[in-house]
Amino acid sequence: MHEFALTEKILKIVLSEAEAHQARRVQKIRLLLGELSGVVSDSLAMYFNLIAKGTIAEGAVLEFNREKARLYCETCRMEYEKADRDFLCPVCGNLGRLTDIGRECIVQNIEVE
Ligand SMILES: [Zn+2]
């Protein structure tokens, strides 16, 4: 799955950030995980433990902040939060289109020592 490539990318970001702060260890990594990103957090955490071995990010805690998807309704010209069951606009009931919000998986911040 694409979690492996994504995890490699995350580790790279974390390590360069840690290096910029002359950190000795990375303790915690906060990730923003969109509900439509298709990323399985357990797989990501598993890959992370694997590829972070031997780096200063080894053993770091991964924290996932879930992000609700936002959609845009062309008819009402507004953004709205996706409901649990469907993608429909709460005002007019039309099918909204996806925005980037809720589809990404990004590093929010890291804690180092
Ligand atoms: Zn609408």
Side-chain angles (χ1 to χ4, degrees), residues 9 13 19 25 27 36-37 47 50 58 61 90 106:
K9 215 160 72 181
I13 293 167
E19 202 175 298
R25 279 218 87 72
Q27 289 167 312
L36 302 178
S37 64
Y47 287 136
L50 218 69
E58 181 175 349
V61 176
I106 54 169

Coordinates of all heavy atoms in Angstrom, one line a residue, residues 9 13 19 25 27 36-37 47 50 58 61 90 106:
K9 N 8.5 9.3 3.6 CA 8.4 10.8 3.4 C 8.3 11.5 4.7 O 9.0 12.5 5.0 CB 7.2 11.1 2.5 CG 7.4 12.3 1.6 CD 6.4 12.4 0.4 CE 5.0 12.7 0.9 NZ 4.1 12.7 -0.2
I13 N 11.0 14.1 6.6 CA 10.6 15.4 7.1 C 11.0 15.6 8.6 O 11.6 16.6 9.0 CB 9.1 15.7 6.9 CG1 8.7 15.7 5.4 CG2 8.6 16.9 7.7 CD1 7.3 15.7 5.1
E19 N 17.1 17.7 12.8 CA 18.4 18.1 12.5 C 18.6 19.6 12.6 O 19.5 20.2 13.2 CB 18.9 17.6 11.2 CG 20.4 17.4 11.0 CD 20.7 16.8 9.6 OE1 20.3 15.6 9.4 OE2 21.3 17.5 8.8
R25 N 17.1 13.5 20.2 CA 16.0 12.4 20.0 C 14.7 13.1 19.6 O 14.4 14.2 20.0 CB 15.8 11.8 21.4 CG 16.7 10.7 21.8 CD 16.0 9.5 22.4 NE 15.6 8.5 21.5 CZ 16.3 7.7 20.8 NH1 17.6 7.8 20.9 NH2 15.8 6.8 20.0
Q27 N 10.9 12.7 20.2 CA 10.0 12.0 21.2 C 8.6 11.7 20.7 O 8.1 10.7 20.9 CB 9.9 12.8 22.5 CG 11.2 12.8 23.3 CD 11.2 13.9 24.4 OE1 10.9 15.0 24.1 NE2 11.6 13.5 25.5
L36 N -10.4 11.0 4.7 CA -10.5 10.5 3.3 C -9.1 10.3 2.7 O -8.9 10.1 1.5 CB -11.3 11.5 2.4 CG -12.7 11.7 2.8 CD1 -13.4 12.7 1.8 CD2 -13.6 10.5 2.8
S37 N -8.1 10.3 3.6 CA -6.7 10.2 3.1 C -6.5 8.7 2.6 O -5.5 8.5 1.9 CB -5.7 10.6 4.1 OG -5.8 9.7 5.3
Y47 N 5.1 0.6 9.9 CA 6.2 1.0 9.0 C 7.2 1.9 9.7 O 8.4 1.8 9.5 CB 5.7 1.6 7.7 CG 5.0 0.6 6.8 CD1 3.8 1.0 6.2 CD2 5.6 -0.6 6.5 CE1 3.2 0.1 5.3 CE2 5.0 -1.5 5.7 CZ 3.8 -1.1 5.1 OH 3.2 -2.0 4.2
L50 N 9.6 0.3 11.9 CA 10.5 -0.4 11.1 C 11.7 0.5 10.5 O 12.8 0.2 10.7 CB 9.8 -1.1 9.9 CG 10.1 -2.5 9.5 CD1 9.8 -3.5 10.6 CD2 9.4 -2.8 8.2
E58 N 13.9 6.8 16.3 CA 13.5 5.5 16.8 C 12.8 5.6 18.1 O 13.2 6.3 19.0 CB 14.8 4.6 17.0 CG 14.4 3.2 17.4 CD 15.7 2.3 17.5 OE1 16.7 2.6 17.0 OE2 15.5 1.1 18.0
V61 N 6.8 8.5 19.6 CA 5.4 8.2 19.7 C 4.7 8.9 18.5 O 4.9 10.1 18.3 CB 4.8 8.7 21.0 CG1 3.3 8.5 21.1 CG2 5.5 8.0 22.2
P90 N -25.6 20.0 3.4 CA -26.7 20.1 4.4 C -27.8 21.1 4.1 O -28.9 21.0 4.6 CB -25.9 20.4 5.6 CG -24.7 21.1 5.2 CD -24.3 20.5 3.9
I106 N -0.3 14.9 7.0 CA 0.9 15.7 7.1 C 1.4 15.7 8.5 O 0.7 15.5 9.5 CB 0.6 17.2 6.6 CG1 -0.6 17.7 7.4 CG2 0.3 17.2 5.1 CD1 -0.8 19.2 7.2

